[in-house]
Amino acid sequence: MIHKTTIDAVFETARLEEVIGDFVQLKKAGSNFKGLSPFSDEKSPSFMVSPVKQIWKDFSSGKGGNVVAFLMEHEHFTYPEAIKYLAKKYNIEVEETEQSDEQKQQSNERESMYLVSEFASTFFQNTLHKTEQGKAIGLTYFKERGFTEETIKKFGLGYSPDVWDAFTSEALKKGYKQSYLEKTGLTIVKEEKQFDRFKGRVMFPIQSMSGRVLGFGGRILTNEKKAAKYLNSPESDIYHKSKVLYGIYHAKQAIAKEDNCFLVEGYTDVIQFNQTGVSNVVSSSGTALTTDQIRLINRLTKNITVLFDGDPAGVRASLRGIDLILEQGMNVKVCSFPEGEDPDSFARQNTLEELTAYLEENAQDFISYKASLLKQDSENDPIKKAELVRDMVVSISKIPDVIKREIYVKECSRIMDVSEDVLFDTLAQLRNVNDKDQRKQQKKEQKSLEVVKTETKKAPKVNRQYILEHNIIKALLLYGDREEEFEDLILKENEEGELILEPEVYTAKVFEKVYLDLQEDEIQFTQESFKGIYAILIEELQQKEDFKVDSFINHIPPEIASEITAILMNDERYELHRWDDMEIHVKQKKDSVSEFVNSIILNLRGFLIDKKIHELLQEVTAQNSEGNMSVLEDIRDYQKLKKLLFRKLNRVM
């Protein structure tokens, strides 16, 4: 168990925008920050971060909460793990008590797999640095590649002993279960035998954006023909190679800062670039580039520079990944190294200044690069040239932005000396085919779901009581402890015996006003979630003079915190759409808090009166004529009340 003092220190120190900024590229939006959702695929930002309230809301998925909730959602941390991650980030010492055996058993399967992976990473590093075999074989190899001690430790590089079960035996001895060793792929089990998957290999731990070890890449150092040169961890509950980029943990901040990501092929390319001084670089780890990997980069920047080896055949094969990048609406540049060179060897032989200068001078727009590369094959061959032009237009057709498509068509026309009209016609044909295919697929899916013809659905009715209760909670969260001047119209009887409204001005805290008014009318919340939040809020506001929303959210159950975040951040959606820029000005409630609070309560009263009148009218139709008289009297009284209420709200009935 982590001590409360540590948890409090973490919440006081951690800055939400800094933590989320490690995973998502955030841009200023008024007093808040906005970015692309890290939980869904989207082109327009719907993810909002409030530094003032220290909460976030993802409007595309509905998720939200505080800094710990983000790490639990995004990185699948447990609560203690999220606290420890933040403590490490902000150099806070973690005080905790020893876990009992029962608590250890309660750790879920994924968590056990993470723990096994972390243990393996430490084991491989210790073997590399502290054993004769590790130093003689593994460390020597890394030194020969030009890696410094600092770089080796930064990337957690290690060595798996050339012994059949060295790692497995040690892990079992330390109490790790064989089932988790097998599920992570670190141990291979065949009948009664078990042995290490990465026996005799130098090890590259593959980390998530937050630095958790998900899996490993292992390189063999012998010339065994039957053994693969590189071996990766198999797919597991924690490692999905198509969704992971090697080096993203070390690169994320540099990618966001530089607003560009260099994409390479291998582990050593990433490491060598980092050592030279270029940190905004990641690798697809030898696998074909996937949409999920591109989306991972897209959260941090819109710009990718793909770096190719000097091998022409490899370059042509890799060009296929560019279309995937373009489909995601990203900007692509391409840079290749001289023949016989790759990013690793080139970075090793050049200084930081020379490397950055080369990248700047040789990075080309994908159209120019593709043309220069494939033009050599099509010289003096009209048929090949036509195929090349069509190939380039196919790439352009993948771009979702219509303006970018037009610019690229013009550029292609200039480079290939083909008329723009022809290119635009070809582009239109390609996009029509794509659109038709999509429509066919949509119709097919629709037909397969259409069992019987359904009637046109009416728009769902707005639940007014839900909205009014929602607004009461919002008022308490935003202004509960604020002292305001309220004006109430008090119902009094004049000399003629008529009921009149007289103004009465008094000062009270917002929560007192809400609480007393709801008590007076015996109003109960109908929404279960609001009932719980209301009770906790009123108690908190009564007990604490200095009420702070961020502190309150940090110390309540996550499910209630998520509800509160949704309530608080709903209005922030206006900022996402920049309504002020379109001369649509949204009135801020803080401009007239007392008016806002009064309006909510009176509207709720009015709604409940309407509801009661409706119930009584139904009763009239069901009863006999004798019973109707008393009910009709009640209806008249409620109608009078409603009339007075409308006067309070300055409305015509």
Side-chain angles (χ1 to χ4, degrees):
M1 291 285 287
I2 300 172
H3 280 293
K4 189 177 181 298
T5 50
T6 300
I7 295 170
D8 290 343
V10 163
F11 279 122
E12 283 170 18
T13 311
R15 300 303 305 158
L16 181 68
E17 62 276 20
E18 289 176 356
V19 176
I20 293 181
D22 287 345
F23 303 90
V24 182
Q25 187 183 29
L26 297 173
K27 291 182 180 177
K28 207 83 170 83
S31 60
N32 299 320
F33 290 92
K34 65 180 179 181
L36 291 174
S37 165
F39 304 107
S40 60
D41 177 26
E42 63 179 16
K43 300 291 190 292
S44 301
S46 70
F47 184 80
M48 207 76 173
V49 176
S50 169
V52 176
K53 299 167 190 162
Q54 284 294 289
I55 55 175
W56 58 276
K57 178 69 181 173
D58 177 30
F59 292 105
S60 68
S61 67
K63 295 173 180 177
N66 58 14
V67 65
V68 167
F70 178 82
L71 292 170
M72 289 172 75
E73 284 286 356
H74 190 271
E75 291 301 302
H76 304 290
F77 282 164
T78 60
Y79 185 86
E81 279 183 322
I83 295 294
K84 286 177 183 177
Y85 172 86
L86 293 168
K88 185 179 178 183
K89 180 177 175 68
Y90 290 98
N91 297 315
I92 297 166
E93 189 180 343
V94 177
E95 292 180 52
E96 58 182 325
T97 55
E98 186 67 30
Q99 276 193 322
S100 66
D101 291 337
E102 191 181 341
Q103 286 171 323
K104 284 178 183 174
Q105 284 173 7
Q106 286 172 351
S107 292
N108 62 32
E109 192 165 291
R110 283 173 60 86
E111 182 51 33
S112 298
M113 291 171 75
Y114 280 124
L115 292 173
V116 164
S117 298
E118 290 290 348
F119 170 75
S121 183
T122 304
F123 174 83
F124 297 140
Q125 288 177 64
N126 287 338
T127 304
L128 181 77
H129 294 286
K130 296 176 183 178
T131 68
E132 291 304 317
Q133 191 184 110
K135 289 176 189 175
I137 302 172
L139 205 54
T140 300
Y141 168 78
F142 288 131
K143 292 285 178 71
E144 284 173 356
R145 296 301 302 239
F147 299 153
T148 63
E149 282 281 351
E150 187 185 350
T151 298
I152 291 166
K153 285 178 180 174
K154 177 182 177 180
F155 284 88
L157 306 181
Y159 179 72
S160 179
D162 197 6
V163 178
W164 282 109
D165 64 347
F167 163 73
T168 303
S169 296
E170 186 63 21
L172 292 170
K173 212 182 288 179
K174 294 287 184 184
Y176 293 97
K177 290 182 180 178
Q178 181 185 295
S179 59
Y180 296 125
L181 298 175
E182 190 179 1
K183 282 173 183 173
T184 52
L186 288 159
T187 299
I188 297 171
V189 179
K190 283 190 177 177
E191 295 174 357
E192 293 180 6
K193 292 180 181 178
Q194 52 199 26
F195 50 92
D196 298 348
R197 177 179 294 273
F198 296 105
K199 168 186 168 292
R201 292 174 182 266
V202 286
M203 302 299 293
F204 300 84
I206 299 164
Q207 296 170 285
S208 70
M209 253 194 183
S210 63
R212 305 194 91 181
V213 178
L214 306 173
F216 295 89
R219 188 193 193 282
I220 200 163
L221 301 180
T222 61
N223 294 321
E224 287 181 48
K225 289 182 181 178
K226 290 182 181 178
K229 185 179 176 182
Y230 275 98
L231 188 65
N232 273 14
S233 292
E235 293 277 314
S236 72
D237 285 349
I238 63 170
Y239 177 56
H240 305 280
K241 63 180 74 175
S242 65
K243 297 181 179 181
V244 176
L245 287 163
Y246 181 74
I248 192 73
Y249 172 62
H250 299 290
K252 61 191 177 187
Q253 289 179 325
I255 291 169
K257 186 180 176 184
E258 300 293 332
D259 198 18
N260 183 44
C261 177
F262 291 112
L263 184 64
V264 295
E265 288 185 16
Y267 303 125
T268 57
D269 296 331
V270 171
I271 297 168
Q272 199 65 253
F273 258 57
N274 265 271
Q275 185 167 285
T276 306
V278 178
S279 303
N280 54 323
V281 57
V282 296
S283 161
S284 57
S285 308
T287 61
L289 190 65
T290 67
T291 304
D292 285 323
Q293 289 171 333
I294 296 163
R295 286 171 186 161
L296 204 58
I297 298 170
N298 197 10
R299 294 180 201 166
L300 302 167
T301 181
K302 283 280 182 190
N303 306 304
I304 293 182
T305 304
V306 183
L307 305 183
F308 292 133
D309 299 351
D311 170 29
V315 170
R316 287 187 187 90
S318 301
L319 280 173
R320 288 190 291 271
I322 288 176
D323 287 357
L324 280 178
I325 299 170
L326 293 170
E327 277 179 348
Q328 295 302 310
M330 298 183 74
N331 307 314
V332 190
K333 284 192 174 182
V334 185
C335 179
S336 64
F337 293 94
E339 198 163 341
E341 296 278 9
D342 59 26
D344 176 6
S345 63
F346 193 86
R348 199 189 320 168
Q349 294 163 22
N350 291 276
T351 63
L352 174 61
E353 291 73 24
E354 290 167 338
L355 176 60
T356 51
Y358 182 87
L359 294 171
E360 283 173 19
E361 290 165 17
N362 292 275
Q364 295 177 273
D365 184 85
F366 85 95
I367 283 288
S368 306
Y369 183 81
K370 207 168 186 178
S372 63
L373 182 73
L374 301 177
K375 209 172 182 180
Q376 300 160 15
D377 297 342
S378 63
E379 210 154 352
N380 303 319
D381 189 334
I383 294 171
K384 281 190 176 178
K385 184 177 179 180
E387 287 173 358
L388 164 61
V389 171
R390 186 173 181 82
D391 188 75
M392 292 168 73
V393 177
V394 166
S395 290
I396 295 169
S397 73
K398 305 289 183 185
I399 301 169
D401 187 276
V402 66
I403 296 172
K404 283 184 184 176
R405 283 203 305 270
E406 181 160 345
I407 290 167
Y408 279 125
V409 165
K410 289 176 183 287
E411 183 67 8
C412 185
S413 169
R414 184 187 65 77
I415 293 168
M416 301 307 295
D417 193 24
V418 178
S419 78
E420 287 180 17
D421 290 343
V422 170
L423 295 181
F424 276 119
D425 285 345
T426 308
L427 179 65
Q429 288 169 13
L430 286 168
R431 287 197 61 84
N432 281 338
V433 168
N434 291 338
D435 291 345
K436 279 179 185 175
D437 288 344
Q438 283 179 3
R439 283 197 294 272
K440 276 182 186 175
Q441 185 61 29
Q442 285 169 358
K443 280 182 182 177
K444 197 175 178 183
E445 288 170 4
Q446 198 173 355
K447 278 182 182 177
S448 65
L449 292 170
E450 242 175 48
V451 181
V452 289
K453 193 175 180 181
T454 53
E455 291 179 16
T456 307
K457 287 184 180 178
K458 293 180 181 178
K461 286 186 178 180
V462 175
N463 187 336
R464 277 188 64 211
Q465 189 160 2
Y466 176 91
I467 293 167
L468 291 164
E469 290 178 9
H470 171 281
N471 285 341
I472 287 173
I473 300 294
K474 184 189 287 184
L476 290 171
L477 285 165
L478 294 175
Y479 319 112
D481 65 339
R482 264 175 66 163
E483 204 161 70
E484 288 288 320
E485 194 174 81
F486 293 97
E487 182 183 283
D488 265 5
L489 293 170
I490 308 301
L491 201 62
K492 290 187 178 179
E493 203 172 292
N494 63 12
E495 291 175 0
E496 287 77 30
E498 295 174 333
L499 289 174
I500 59 165
L501 291 169
E502 280 191 7
E504 183 179 282
V505 178
Y506 64 97
T507 302
K509 287 197 170 183
V510 168
F511 85 88
E512 293 170 339
K513 161 75 175 168
V514 171
Y515 180 73
L516 291 171
D517 278 12
L518 296 189
Q519 283 282 93
E520 184 186 337
D521 291 344
E522 296 182 358
I523 294 173
Q524 296 284 329
F525 283 87
T526 56
Q527 302 296 319
E528 286 302 319
S529 58
F530 293 160
K531 275 183 192 176
I533 294 170
Y534 177 74
I536 294 169
L537 260 175
I538 291 295
E539 187 181 349
E540 188 83 3
L541 286 160
Q542 283 173 336
Q543 289 177 359
K544 290 188 178 176
E545 287 184 21
D546 185 22
F547 175 81
K548 289 182 180 175
V549 171
D550 53 348
S551 177
F552 172 64
I553 290 172
N554 291 339
H555 295 92
I556 57 176
E559 60 277 7
I560 296 178
S562 180
E563 283 276 352
I564 288 171
T565 302
I567 292 166
L568 286 173
M569 294 295 278
N570 200 44
D571 285 354
E572 310 294 357
R573 298 182 83 161
Y574 300 135
E575 290 188 28
L576 284 171
H577 302 293
R578 302 182 69 184
W579 285 11
D580 283 345
D581 291 355
M582 296 180 276
E583 299 299 318
I584 301 171
H585 303 291
V586 182
K587 187 178 179 182
Q588 299 296 311
K589 293 168 198 63
K590 62 185 176 187
D591 296 339
S592 53
V593 174
S594 58
E595 185 185 324
F596 172 57
V597 173
N598 257 332
S599 175
I600 298 167
I601 294 168
L602 292 172
N603 274 299
L604 182 57
R605 282 175 177 162
F607 172 80
L608 294 173
I609 288 168
D610 277 341
K611 198 174 175 183
K612 189 66 182 173
I613 291 170
H614 179 70
E615 287 171 6
L616 290 169
L617 285 169
Q618 285 184 319
E619 201 177 314
V620 167
T621 56
Q623 284 184 359
N624 55 37
S625 56
E626 290 177 14
N628 279 350
M629 294 307 294
S630 60
V631 177
L632 288 170
E633 280 290 323
D634 289 342
I635 291 172
R636 277 194 288 272
D637 289 341
Y638 277 113
Q639 289 284 12
K640 284 179 185 176
L641 260 179
K642 188 177 174 182
K643 193 174 180 180
L644 291 168
L645 196 64
F646 269 65
R647 282 177 64 190
K648 284 187 178 185
L649 286 164
N650 292 319
R651 289 186 198 160
V652 177
M653 188 171 167

